[in-house]
Amino acid sequence: MKAGKTEGLPNRVQNPASGMWYALVPGGTYTIGSDQVWDSKEIQVQMSPYYISETCVTRSQLGQRLLKRLLQEGWFDEELSTVIRRLPEEQQANIRLLDFMFNFDNERRSWGDLLDLSPELTSAFKDAHDKFFTEPEDSAKFANGEVPTLEEAIKSIRLTPLQRQTLTRVKEELTTKLKHLPQGQAPYDRASFSNADSYAEWQGINLPTEAQWEVAAGLAAAGKLKVNHMVGDHREFCSDYYAYNYFQRNSGFKDPTGPRRGKWSPTQLEQETEPSRFQFMARLAARGVTVIRGESVSKRDYSRTISITPAVWEQPHRIRLVINPRQN
């Protein structure tokens, strides 16, 4: 591996928001891939300098950012915010609780145990959530087909005392839980591509490309980069789509970002297709599969981009991040 100039970049940088440290991978020409791996090939890549996180994202780091995500009021545009500010405080509190309910309901499927509630509170939340969408609206004044104004529609929103009590309890329990997750370096290992990609977006940085991951893993294995545990009994997400024949290209490996869509080999397609009459659907599914790495420096694998329950996977799945100084 021939490392080029670092262009005056420091060897390490820290993200003050998360506390994570990132190690510099110098730009230059690197050899990645392996002729011994069936869906790989030894190739040369030209890489710009980048930083890769020295550790994977921990539970406490996720908790801090996820709590901020749950409590933000991102769907309020300026017009809506103006209307809400004119409401009585009790109605404003209702809107804030509803905002939290929507955010929590959207996120809880992706984040698994981080957003688990006690069984009793889970049941109470479901009841409060379902009743909000199934009970008739207070719309008697609009019975003649009159279209309400935005302010009238907002004022017509109702929460029962029991719904307010339930949502307040959920908010308080999750705030306590996410603020007091154990500190330390134990990585979050139940990630899916969906929440890995979301967390990178929230941080304003990136998941590594497959080339970035393998270059860093190779340097770490050779003792030339202080990055922890890239290879082992876990998997880490990359930003590239997976295509079994991507490494067979003869050119275009300057800061490669992967193929435009995923692709399985005929053998993979057969393995992923049960029964065979669904081959067409499997071909479509293959377009969305993304690369996961970690078993060895060169071995490739893939994960669907849809969010599935990480607990069913045999190996832990973790989140590692990169900073591209020319982009971030």
Side-chain angles (χ1 to χ4, degrees):
M1 302 180 185
K2 294 188 299 180
K5 296 180 179 179
T6 61
E7 301 176 10
L9 297 170
N11 290 330
R12 298 175 79 210
V13 294
Q14 186 181 33
N15 182 338
S18 66
M20 291 185 73
W21 283 94
Y22 291 75
L24 175 66
V25 179
T29 301
Y30 295 90
T31 299
I32 64 171
S34 170
D35 294 336
Q36 308 305 312
V37 177
W38 77 270
D39 57 351
S40 183
K41 187 180 77 168
E42 191 172 290
I43 60 173
Q44 298 283 308
V45 290
Q46 298 289 325
M47 303 294 292
S48 299
Y50 62 95
Y51 290 94
I52 190 159
S53 60
E54 296 177 357
T55 57
C56 290
V57 179
T58 66
R59 294 172 61 84
S60 60
Q61 288 165 341
L62 280 174
Q64 294 164 15
R65 190 59 185 82
L66 187 54
L67 179 61
K68 185 177 180 181
R69 172 77 172 182
L70 290 174
L71 298 180
Q72 74 179 16
E73 300 176 348
W75 61 277
F76 295 170
D77 60 23
E78 186 56 38
E79 182 182 9
L80 186 56
S81 296
T82 300
V83 171
I84 292 172
R85 284 194 293 267
R86 292 199 294 258
L87 296 175
E89 179 55 36
E90 182 177 338
Q91 282 189 294
Q92 291 189 41
N94 284 349
I95 296 297
R96 288 192 290 270
L97 281 174
L98 284 172
D99 183 34
F100 171 79
M101 180 180 77
F102 296 145
N103 286 334
F104 173 59
D105 189 55
N106 286 336
E107 301 292 352
R108 64 192 175 119
R109 297 174 185 85
S110 292
W111 294 100
D113 64 321
L114 277 176
L115 295 184
D116 279 349
L117 302 169
S118 64
E120 178 268 333
L121 196 51
T122 298
S123 177
F125 175 82
K126 183 179 186 305
D127 187 58
H129 178 275
D130 291 350
K131 283 185 177 179
F132 176 78
F133 288 102
T134 57
E135 289 184 348
E137 294 182 18
D138 182 15
S139 55
K141 66 177 295 183
F142 308 119
N144 296 326
E146 179 184 351
V147 178
T149 66
L150 176 62
E151 187 163 356
E152 288 171 332
I154 292 296
K155 285 182 177 180
S156 72
I157 292 175
R158 297 287 185 270
L159 281 179
T160 67
L162 182 58
Q163 286 172 318
R164 284 198 299 272
Q165 181 185 44
T166 298
L167 294 177
T168 299
R169 286 179 59 205
V170 172
K171 189 173 182 179
E172 290 173 348
E173 181 169 311
L174 286 175
T175 298
T176 299
K177 179 178 182 178
L178 295 177
K179 277 186 175 180
H180 296 92
L181 287 168
Q183 299 294 313
Q185 296 307 309
Y188 178 68
D189 59 10
R190 297 183 62 188
S192 67
F193 179 84
S194 174
N195 53 40
D197 190 52
S198 293
Y199 183 73
E201 182 181 351
W202 297 345
Q203 294 292 88
I205 48 182
N206 307 98
L207 296 175
T209 65
E210 184 173 17
Q212 286 176 329
W213 188 94
E214 186 166 334
V215 167
L219 290 173
K224 298 180 179 179
L225 187 69
K226 292 184 178 181
V227 174
N228 295 338
H229 308 303
M230 295 194 71
V231 173
D233 62 352
H234 67 279
R235 301 291 181 270
E236 299 179 7
F237 290 97
C238 298
S239 60
D240 301 22
Y241 288 117
Y242 169 88
Y244 78 96
N245 58 352
Y246 182 66
F247 275 62
Q248 307 306 313
R249 293 171 55 192
N250 295 318
S251 61
F253 286 110
K254 164 68 174 173
D255 293 325
T257 56
R260 289 182 296 174
R261 61 178 64 92
K263 186 177 182 180
W264 283 327
S265 71
T267 300
Q268 289 172 320
L269 188 63
E270 185 176 347
Q271 291 172 343
E272 297 287 341
T273 306
E274 289 187 25
S276 59
R277 66 176 179 271
F278 292 135
Q279 272 208 7
F280 174 71
M281 295 300 295
R283 286 194 183 95
L284 291 180
R287 294 183 173 208
V289 298
T290 53
V291 174
I292 49 176
R293 303 293 295 267
E295 186 173 338
S296 69
V297 171
S298 299
K299 186 172 181 181
R300 309 177 72 217
D301 206 342
Y302 55 82
S303 171
R304 291 175 179 83
T305 55
I306 60 173
S307 177
I308 64 174
T309 304
V312 305
W313 299 348
E314 293 181 3
Q315 298 88 6
H317 284 63
R318 300 174 181 173
I319 305 172
R320 195 178 296 273
L321 302 170
V322 297
I323 297 173
N324 298 301
R326 291 178 177 174
Q327 299 174 18
N328 300 105

